């Protein structure tokens, strides 16, 4: 889970409550269980990557950082509110 704002933090709590193993990352650490120090660490070994970032610049920055670490078979879900460009 990348982005632990209002929506991302609640979505990650639901997944943890359902028994999922969730690696969480936020630009500003929140102190949640399973929080990791970087988006690269969060995607390492993940089968599903959910992104909840606040805007296009944040999404582009994080997507650029994680792209070299993505593996075949991983699913990336972008839930960020961004423009189509």
């Amino acid at each position: 889970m990348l982005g632990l704002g209002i929506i991302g933090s609640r979505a990650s709590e639901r997944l943890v409550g359902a028994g999922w193993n969730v690696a969480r990352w936020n630009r500003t650490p929140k102190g949640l269980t399973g929080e990791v120090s970087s988006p690269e660490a969060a995607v390492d070994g993940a089968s599903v990557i959910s992104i909840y970032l606040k805007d296009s610049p944040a999404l582009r920055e994080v997507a650029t950082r994680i792209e070299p670490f993505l593996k075949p078979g991983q699913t990336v879900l972008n839930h960020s509110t961004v423009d189509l460009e």
Side-chain angles (χ1 to χ4, degrees), residues 5-56:
I6 293 169
I7 299 171
S9 62
R10 286 173 174 85
S12 69
E13 285 297 321
R14 292 289 209 161
L15 291 172
V16 169
W20 287 58
N21 180 18
V22 180
R24 310 184 220 198
W25 174 81
N26 198 61
R27 288 177 289 173
T28 304
K30 301 279 189 178
L32 299 173
T33 303
E35 218 169 316
V36 296
S37 62
S38 70
E40 296 88 349
V43 304
D44 184 34
S47 54
V48 178
I49 300 154
S50 287
I51 303 173
Y52 292 88
L53 297 170
K54 75 174 196 161
D55 57 26
S56 296

